[in-house]
Amino acid sequence: MIASTARRVAAKLRGSSLPRSSLNFLRRELERLQEKFKKRSERIAELEKQVQEKEKELADAQKKIAEQEKQITDLERQLALRKRNSTNSSKPPSSDGLAGEQRPRGRKHKSQRKPGGQPGHPGHHRPLIPTAEVNVLKVLLPERCQHCGRKLPQKADRVTTEGEPRRHQVTEIPEINPHTTEYQCPQVVCEHCQKTTQEPLPEEVRGNFGPHLTALIAYWTVVCRVPRRLVEAMLADVLGLEISLGSTQKAWEEVSQAVEQPCQQLQEQLPREAVLNVDETGWRSNGDKRWIWTFVAKQFVFYAVASTRSAAVLVALLGTVFRGILCCDRLPVYFSYHSGRMQLCWAHLKRDILGIAEDARSRSAQPFGRDALAVVARLFRLWYRFRGDLRDRRGNPQPINRRQLLRKSIPLQKKLFALAETHLDHANKEVRNLATALYVHCERLFTFLEVKGVEPTNNGAERALRTAVQWRKICFGNRSRSGEIATARLLTVTQTCKRQQRHVLGYLTEAVRCHRRQIAAPSLLRRRI
């Protein structure tokens, strides 16, 4: 505006015939306007510069805020991960402690009952063995009568008794001394040809240790998970037997060779099983990454140490197509291998849902977790009623049969499917992934409702792996392929014997004895449970 006014005034001055005084006034006014315009222009330039600086500062601030928001999100994620434990994630119970928030144990409120057995609780005690089976029987007779003080006979056949005697048994282990048998094989001279003949050693006494001692070394190592050097120390301190570390290893390897055939029979039986629970975990072999797999059938447990976690292991052990029901977690390997009927683990699923329900970073995710947990709780109350576990806080419901179980569970299945469908596009990634898993694999979650012998969780395989994990923490894996095979065989035999309620040490001893005689070891498939 000032510039246009100055231009108009200058144009009038050039073409006007005003008096000199007026012209001078107009010139001064023009100069004033021009000076004012110059100052305004400088002010505008200064303000524009300030605006640019402010815009730059604003952009830097926005960038800094974005970086801080990203950092806050990352810290919240790390905090949430540190709060994860074995109840709301797939972390093992051994990780609960300093690495994360401990899972709640016991009751929330202290009980008012006294410690120990409660009134009416049936007592448990060690039963007495029959008198005919005791090693030493001692009859204790009183010297004098507690009432009149007269002396009493001290021979059992001369006293008169009333009722049954009080029985008290004390079990003791005698001092253990190693039993050594020396076999001498003299060179006998024949009277006819004057040549010598020497009798060879029996097959069952090959080596320096008997079958029972050899099996005991393997038992301590596998079942008791005792390190090799502690086995060496126990043999010296408990049995009074000095033995080298290499000898314990050789005994362990011999037991592995003795059970080769029974383990091969179990491997051949795997593809023919109707239901298999499968799981895997990490292992080490001479510092390299390995995987130990476990397959839990109705009457046996089978282990295998492999260099991969891919479906190639399943193909090698179960064949190209497995016709039974595979019970497992949601590892993609199982979906790529098996296209038949499956049962996904509800324990894994419940932990994931609980992790979402307890996630404070996204409040929109909590309703999904809460609603899903409510459906799971109602479903498993039905399952417990079907199984005969009637402990319910809301009353004493009657047991139900499988037909009633299926009928009552259909509305819950539909509700869970609808809940997953409505959260397929949720903003939270964890909710979206879990909802997708529920939506896609909904049919594979309810096989246990229809088929006898199928459990809703994969706890059987996880318990079988726990033994291997505990051993791994002590021995740190293997050092060769033969060690991997021995580990898998001995775990297979010991866990199968426990599942069949067989005497583990007795079976290992018999297997070593058969191996030395070069005959087949007892089969692990003959005993039905």
Side-chain angles (χ1 to χ4, degrees), residues 134-154:
V134 300
N135 301 100
V136 178
L137 177 62
K138 292 185 177 181
V139 179
L140 303 179
L141 299 176
E143 293 183 0
R144 294 181 179 274
C145 176
Q146 294 181 352
H147 304 282
C148 65
R150 291 179 61 89
K151 295 186 65 175
L152 299 175
Q154 295 299 301

Side-chain angles (χ1 to χ4, degrees), residues 116-386:
Q118 304 302 312
H121 174 72
H124 298 283
H125 59 276
R126 184 173 180 270
L128 298 174
I129 64 175
T131 305
E133 298 181 8
V134 300
N135 301 100
V136 178
L137 177 62
K138 292 185 177 181
V139 179
L140 303 179
L141 299 176
E143 293 183 0
R144 294 181 179 274
C145 176
Q146 294 181 352
H147 304 282
C148 65
R150 291 179 61 89
K151 295 186 65 175
L152 299 175
Q154 295 299 301
K155 292 185 179 181
D157 56 350
R158 296 182 57 187
V159 299
T160 302
T161 61
E162 180 179 317
E164 293 295 329
R166 175 189 174 188
R167 299 175 62 198
H168 177 73
Q169 296 179 350
V170 177
T171 303
E172 177 62 293
I173 298 178
E175 184 178 353
I176 301 175
N177 293 312
H179 184 273
T180 304
T181 302
E182 180 179 342
Y183 293 85
Q184 294 185 357
C185 303
Q187 296 183 3
V188 180
V189 179
C190 178
E191 296 180 355
H192 178 70
C193 64
Q194 301 299 317
K195 294 184 179 180
T196 60
T197 302
Q198 190 177 52
E199 179 70 11
L201 289 173
E203 292 292 339
E204 58 269 19
V205 300
R206 290 185 303 171
N208 298 323
F209 309 111
H212 188 74
L213 179 57
T214 304
L216 181 62
I217 293 174
Y219 180 86
W220 280 345
T221 306
V222 182
V223 179
C224 303
R225 294 180 287 278
V226 180
R228 304 287 200 283
R229 293 198 179 277
L230 287 183
V231 171
E232 182 183 0
M234 290 176 65
L235 290 172
D237 298 338
V238 179
L239 302 182
L241 181 62
E242 298 291 339
I243 186 173
S244 65
L245 191 64
S247 297
T248 62
Q249 179 65 23
K250 288 182 179 179
W252 190 70
E253 293 174 353
E254 183 181 2
V255 178
S256 170
Q257 297 171 3
V259 298
E260 177 182 2
Q261 185 175 0
C263 292
Q264 183 65 31
Q265 293 175 353
L266 297 183
Q267 181 176 344
E268 294 173 356
Q269 177 64 23
L270 279 177
R272 297 190 285 269
E273 288 295 313
V275 180
L276 275 181
N277 288 75
V278 188
D279 205 355
E280 77 295 322
T281 190
W283 194 259
R284 287 288 177 182
S285 182
N286 204 21
D288 297 330
K289 186 68 175 179
R290 294 290 186 272
W291 299 94
I292 184 166
W293 293 70
T294 181
F295 299 81
V296 180
K298 181 180 180 180
Q299 65 167 338
F300 67 89
V301 183
F302 184 82
Y303 292 84
V305 178
S307 59
T308 178
R309 202 185 188 185
S310 66
V313 179
L314 299 172
V315 173
L317 295 175
L318 304 181
T320 307
V321 177
F322 179 63
R323 302 188 182 279
I325 299 176
L326 203 63
C327 306
C328 56
D329 52 24
R330 300 195 307 275
L331 187 69
V333 169
Y334 301 116
F335 299 133
S336 63
Y337 165 73
H338 189 58
S339 58
R341 301 196 72 176
M342 299 178 68
Q343 174 59 58
L344 300 182
C345 180
W346 276 91
H348 286 76
L349 184 65
K350 185 178 178 180
R351 288 196 296 261
D352 294 340
I353 297 174
L354 188 61
I356 292 176
E358 295 178 353
D359 189 358
R361 294 177 299 150
S362 177
R363 297 190 178 276
S364 61
Q366 294 179 356
F368 169 79
R370 182 183 62 249
D371 295 342
L373 285 175
V375 175
V376 173
R378 293 177 59 189
L379 178 65
F380 275 85
R381 276 198 292 269
L382 292 176
W383 173 251
Y384 295 145
R385 290 178 60 186
F386 169 74

Side-chain angles (χ1 to χ4, degrees), residues 414-476:
K414 293 181 178 180
K415 188 173 182 178
L416 188 63
F417 183 80
L419 182 65
E421 187 177 15
T422 56
H423 289 81
L424 291 176
D425 299 326
H426 197 274
N428 187 282
K429 182 180 178 181
E430 294 182 358
V431 174
R432 188 168 62 251
N433 291 341
L434 187 56
T436 303
L438 292 174
Y439 183 82
V440 174
H441 305 297
C442 190
E443 294 183 357
R444 296 173 172 176
L445 292 171
F446 303 102
T447 307
F448 75 100
L449 299 174
E450 304 173 5
V451 183
K452 182 180 179 181
V454 178
E455 292 293 326
T457 67
N458 201 30
N459 290 345
E462 290 190 346
R463 286 194 297 267
L465 273 186
R466 182 171 176 79
T467 301
V469 170
Q470 291 173 338
W471 193 8
R472 180 191 65 194
K473 291 180 178 294
I474 296 173
C475 70
F476 304 106

